[in-house]
Amino acid sequence: QVQLVESGGGLVQPGGSLRLSCAASGSIFSIDTMGWYRQAPGKERELVAALTSDGSTNCADSVKGRFTISRDNAKNTVYLQMNSLKPDDTAVYYCNAKGITTAGGLTYGRNYWGKGTLVTVSS
């Protein structure tokens, strides 16, 4: 059973920074793509940034130049460094993983999700 656990959310003033972390646990050999999505009140969930195991990134235009995604493949952990935060960044941030290969050699294409961590940007 794969589990994703996020940490690092909280309240921050506009212009401030936060770093989110997400660790995947379970019988995991490798993970193809890890990333972050967010959902603001009344809005649909949207991609923030994603990073493949070979280093390819996909990032929302709204966060380019402010957010940086990185990962530690050995630890099955993905990070999101968020700088110059704006009130519009307020949302629940969800960790995502897909293309998980288990220690037994099986690969699952489905999405796995964390429970989410709340980021509030407000003065």
Side-chain angles (χ1 to χ4, degrees):
Q1 184 76 6
V2 173
Q3 289 189 321
L4 304 179
V5 178
E6 303 105 333
S7 61
L11 173 64
V12 64
Q13 293 185 342
S17 299
L18 280 176
R19 188 189 193 214
L20 305 183
S21 299
C22 171
S25 63
S27 180
I28 299 171
F29 176 74
S30 65
I31 304 174
D32 179 57
T33 304
M34 297 189 78
W36 294 92
Y37 288 70
R38 68 185 181 186
Q39 188 166 17
K43 295 186 177 180
E44 294 185 353
R45 191 173 298 189
E46 62 176 1
L47 172 70
V48 177
L51 178 59
T52 65
S53 58
D54 63 0
S56 297
T57 60
N58 187 14
C59 190
D61 289 341
S62 60
V63 306
K64 285 180 179 177
R66 300 188 298 122
F67 292 9
T68 302
I69 188 170
S70 61
R71 61 188 282 182
D72 184 333
N73 292 330
K75 296 181 179 179
N76 294 322
T77 299
V78 64
Y79 307 95
L80 186 68
Q81 178 66 43
M82 305 186 293
N83 299 327
S84 303
L85 282 159
K86 305 175 181 179
D88 284 349
D89 296 317
T90 296
V92 177
Y93 285 69
Y94 296 92
C95 179
N96 172 269
K98 53 189 172 186
I100 292 179
T101 298
T102 67
L106 299 175
T107 298
Y108 296 93
R110 56 159 288 191
N111 283 298
Y112 289 86
W113 296 96
K115 293 183 178 180
T117 185
L118 177 63
V119 172
T120 303
V121 185
S122 175
S123 56

